Amino acid sequence: MELKILKIGGSVFACKESNKPKVDFNVLRRLSREIANAYKNNFNLILVHGAGSYGHPIVKRTGINKGIKRKSQLVAFAETQRLQNELNSIFTRELIKLNVPAIPCQASAFTLMDKGKIKEMYIKVIKGFLKLNLVPTLYGVPAYDEKQGCSILSGDDIVPFLAKKLKVKQIIHGTDVDGVFTSDPKKDPNAKLIKKITPSEFKSIISGISGSTKIDVTGGMKRKIEELVKLTEFGIQSIIVNATKPKRIEKALLGEKVIGTIICK
Ligand code: ADP
């Protein structure tokens, strides 16, 4: 069975512009229905979601992404992890209600970081879950880092790592804009949607891509695209779609034509 990875950015359902943890339940429930509808078709699925208001503000405030330097950061480390578990529990609860076997997977419990990079991840459990036809549901988390005590294992780190290890062919990335534009569409009304990006074209468009307009500690759109472009070397194709607009995620999961940006070789 084909394996797809669906990443849902925190900006989509976890109110990234809010300073306090907040979920947009209308969006989350609609998205969950779309995932449930598409999942009836025969493919294996890994879901990865971002943290939005549950992660970025507390990490920015306490600096735990840069390592543990003060004792007071330990409570922040623990609380950040707890908040991510809470958000994941909210997301998976909606999916489970719709009969999707979305099994919560706390990646920091089986991943070792080294200066902000994944050093080791024990993926046998993920493979096992997939064999059973579960939908492993991972999310951005603060993780143990050998060099600095703590760093952020973001959804955007997890996606390329698993895609390569598990020989994924397709990644669907849901965000809060229609795809990749010539410049940030939230700031520039003349920004134009780029329908397709190949590694050779990437160099000429990279200057127009910035991070995130919201509080972001993991690199935003620019880092995402850089990683997805690298994956094309491994035969992995990605599509960036607007998950805040109805049916886009469902269509993308089903392989139907949808507005967005395709990243391929
Ligand atoms: P997510 O939470 O979905 O992972 P991010 O906040 O990290 O998303 O990145 C999405 C944001 O990236 C958009 O809301 C947009 O403001 C910003 N962005 C910056 N440059 C671009 C660009 N060239 N094309 C599209 N989005 C861009």
Side-chain angles (χ1 to χ4, degrees):
M1 250 199 298
E2 194 189 342
L3 172 60
K4 300 181 186 197
I5 295 184
L6 172 63
K7 158 90 199 286
I8 299 289
S11 63
V12 175
F13 72 102
C15 307
K16 211 165 172 179
E17 68 293 336
S18 167
N19 259 317
K20 288 200 184 117
K22 193 173 156 199
V23 171
D24 184 334
F25 278 97
N26 285 333
V27 172
L28 182 63
R29 292 193 174 125
R30 176 191 49 76
L31 257 179
S32 301
R33 280 196 301 276
E34 291 189 26
I35 296 167
N37 287 344
Y39 187 66
K40 284 184 194 131
N41 291 270
N42 275 347
F43 57 85
N44 260 151
L45 183 65
I46 294 177
L47 176 63
V48 179
H49 65 78
S53 57
Y54 275 69
H56 296 270
I58 185 171
V59 171
K60 192 156 191 222
R61 207 167 56 238
T62 60
I64 59 166
N65 53 326
K66 298 192 180 102
I68 302 297
K69 293 165 189 151
R70 303 178 296 279
K71 206 174 159 208
S72 63
Q73 287 178 307
L74 295 178
V75 167
F77 190 171
E79 171 64 356
T80 306
Q81 179 64 66
R82 191 199 65 74
L83 278 166
Q84 305 328 302
N85 292 357
E86 191 176 312
L87 182 63
N88 176 254
S89 184
I90 292 169
F91 201 153
T92 49
R93 182 180 62 199
E94 294 304 320
L95 289 165
I96 289 166
K97 271 198 241 167
L98 297 168
N99 243 356
V100 178
I103 187 155
C105 293
Q106 184 187 318
S108 58
F110 52 88
T111 308
L112 188 61
M113 303 292 284
D114 182 351
K115 256 200 165 270
K117 296 228 155 52
I118 298 173
K119 184 175 178 191
E120 279 171 39
M121 191 189 281
Y122 187 74
I123 59 162
K124 273 190 185 163
V125 279
I126 305 286
K127 284 185 178 167
F129 285 160
L130 288 169
K131 222 185 219 172
L132 292 173
N133 283 330
L134 287 158
V135 177
T137 304
L138 296 87
Y139 45 107
V141 278
Y144 174 66
D145 190 301
E146 272 190 336
K147 297 269 160 48
Q148 56 188 54
C150 171
S151 58
I152 304 301
L153 171 55
S154 77
D156 292 333
D157 297 321
I158 295 171
V159 169
F161 187 87
L162 289 183
K164 277 191 267 182
K165 292 276 179 202
L166 300 174
K167 305 203 178 1
V168 166
K169 286 270 171 289
Q170 167 124 71
I171 295 168
I172 295 125
H173 188 103
T175 188
D176 66 343
V177 289
D178 281 354
V180 183
F181 286 75
T182 46
S183 57
D184 188 344
K186 294 255 172 81
K187 293 182 188 153
D188 177 3
N190 296 318
K192 290 198 173 44
L193 180 67
I194 304 166
K195 291 197 173 148
K196 187 174 159 190
I197 299 175
T198 62
S200 56
E201 288 156 358
F202 181 57
K203 287 179 197 86
S204 63
I205 60 155
I206 180 126
S207 59
I209 309 173
S210 39
S212 175
T213 42
K214 294 133 287 190
I215 311 161
D216 190 285
V217 290
T218 54
M221 187 60 98
K222 188 170 184 174
R223 212 178 127 221
K224 249 186 267 306
I225 307 304
E226 276 169 351
E227 292 302 322
L228 297 179
V229 166
K230 281 186 211 156
L231 290 180
T232 60
E233 295 301 322
F234 300 87
I236 303 165
Q237 179 178 299
S238 302
I239 180 161
I240 318 271
V241 295
N242 193 340
T244 67
K245 302 246 175 96
K247 291 286 172 197
R248 302 248 174 118
I249 287 293
E250 187 171 334
K251 282 186 178 170
L253 279 171
L254 293 172
E256 291 173 10
K257 204 165 180 276
V258 60
I259 295 168
T261 301
I262 291 176
I263 303 176
C264 61
K265 213 153 179 214

